[in-house]
Amino acid sequence: MAVTDIPRTATLLRPGPETRTSYRRRVTSTRTGRWVRLDGTTNTRDLGGLPTTDGGRTVPGRILRSDNLQTLSPDDVRRLVGDIGLRQVIDLRTTAEVLLEGRGPLRDVPQVTHRHFSLLPERGHHTDVFAVEEDDAELDLPAGWTESLLPRQVAEHDQGEHPAVRSYLGYLDHRADNVVGALRAITRASGASVVHCAAGKDRTGVVCALSLAVAGVPHEEIVADYAMTAEIIDALVAKLAASPTYAEDMGTRDVASHTPRAETMARVLTLLDERHGGPLGWLDAHGFGAEEQAALRARLRD
């Protein structure tokens, strides 16, 4: 099981103060540049400054990618909202993950809009998790809520692909509506958007890859951005292991199995090229056509 899937046996507990802070001393990066160093996240970076095929650059402060935002410190919130200009959170986690992890501090910031686009097929009536949260702050999680994920079917021609590749293709096959919805939200944002899931690696990686492709970033740069998470994978696994939601999955697999491989994203992009004429062709086929692509490109480019 990858950190993209909520553990089937996760305990219905919300993390307490001790789980929210125990990993933080290990959350550091040896590199500067596009990394955004925060107390409460491990895998936050800006997608600005990347080269495009026509000699341009993506603009900093338009899209950030990140792991879970539940443990942001007050200083983190001030930096994101005040210094970077964050105005939108795009949450790719399942409804169960959001409810299990609880509200994050950005939910209390009126300038920041939250949008939820799960990339895994789900059952149940909580189709708008943030509306549920607003309506009932003391929501009791129903028994078996972690069994809310629907089985994912793997297309016959994808059976031989690496499991991570199959997962990423599954997001595109089963939740194309939410992939496109996330890109539309980025397009229409008035300030910076942060795209995140649990680890900021898999679901986030796919949405960010498509965004960068629309901006004209070449495949090799998209792959290199995806692979950057490997630099902080030890701290990232430690963070997730501190949460009851993800602890079991972190403990049953070694760090290497969670580490992103460049060839995974390269293969996904190659398959999109072969089957759809590229990421833009896939988007066009799923309702995100030339006009919207141009608007997103203009938003992300200098």
Side-chain angles (χ1 to χ4, degrees):
M1 180 188 298
V3 293
T4 52
D5 295 352
I6 186 159
R8 296 290 185 173
T9 56
T11 304
L12 296 182
L13 295 175
R14 302 189 189 279
E18 68 283 354
T19 62
R20 290 183 179 275
T21 58
S22 60
Y23 71 91
R24 287 184 182 172
R25 295 183 185 276
R26 287 182 273 183
V27 179
T28 59
S29 171
T30 57
R31 292 181 52 175
T32 56
R34 290 176 44 232
W35 288 106
V36 179
R37 298 188 182 189
L38 300 171
D39 297 327
T41 66
T42 307
N43 194 19
T44 305
R45 56 188 183 268
D46 196 314
L47 295 185
L50 294 175
T52 60
T53 54
D54 59 358
R57 292 270 173 183
T58 54
V59 180
R62 299 295 171 82
I63 307 180
L64 280 67
R65 57 180 296 169
S66 185
D67 51 317
N68 199 340
L69 303 174
Q70 299 305 112
T71 51
L72 293 175
S73 70
D75 285 343
D76 293 338
V77 172
R78 283 191 290 270
R79 184 177 177 196
L80 288 168
V81 177
D83 298 344
I84 295 176
L86 181 69
R87 294 297 179 268
Q88 179 173 243
V89 172
I90 296 175
D91 190 340
L92 305 179
R93 297 173 300 164
T94 64
T95 301
E97 287 173 278
V98 176
L99 296 178
L100 285 164
E101 289 290 282
R103 295 172 180 266
L106 286 171
R107 295 284 290 135
D108 297 324
V109 179
Q111 303 99 303
V112 178
T113 299
H114 283 69
R115 303 190 187 281
H116 181 229
F117 300 101
S118 172
L119 295 197
L120 298 175
E122 300 180 49
R123 63 168 60 88
H125 61 279
H126 294 303
T127 56
D128 186 340
V129 67
F130 295 116
V132 170
E133 285 192 299
E134 295 294 348
D135 290 343
D136 187 357
E138 302 301 323
L139 180 70
D140 290 326
L141 295 174
W145 183 247
T146 52
E147 299 294 334
S148 62
L149 298 183
L150 293 171
R152 286 181 290 176
Q153 303 298 318
V154 178
E156 184 175 350
H157 58 277
D158 292 333
Q159 293 286 350
E161 299 291 344
H162 185 276
V165 174
R166 293 201 304 266
S167 289
Y168 296 2
L169 295 174
Y171 308 154
L172 300 176
D173 288 343
H174 300 299
R175 296 313 303 262
D177 55 340
N178 276 355
V179 172
V180 169
L183 295 187
R184 285 189 175 130
I186 295 169
T187 304
R188 298 168 183 172
S190 59
S193 297
V194 59
V195 181
H196 84 95
C197 51
K201 172 173 68 77
D202 301 306
R203 292 168 286 188
T204 297
V206 170
V207 169
C208 289
L210 292 175
S211 300
L212 293 175
V214 172
V217 174
H219 283 7
E220 60 268 24
E221 293 289 344
I222 296 173
V223 169
D225 171 72
Y226 166 80
M228 281 178 68
T229 296
E231 299 177 20
I232 48 77
I233 195 65
D234 289 324
L236 180 58
V237 169
K239 175 191 176 181
L240 292 171
S243 166
T245 306
Y246 307 109
E248 181 175 347
D249 190 36
M250 297 301 104
T252 55
R253 295 172 50 200
D254 61 19
V255 171
S257 68
H258 294 291
T259 303
R261 306 187 312 160
E263 52 265 37
T264 297
M265 183 56 69
R267 179 60 177 163
V268 171
L269 294 172
T270 295
L271 290 174
L272 289 176
D273 287 343
E274 293 174 354
R275 298 174 183 178
H276 302 280
L280 275 60
W282 183 90
L283 287 168
D284 186 66
H286 290 85
F288 195 81
E291 185 174 344
E292 287 186 296
Q293 290 177 25
L296 178 56
R297 186 177 304 112
R299 171 129 190 87
L300 302 181
R301 291 284 302 274
D302 55 12

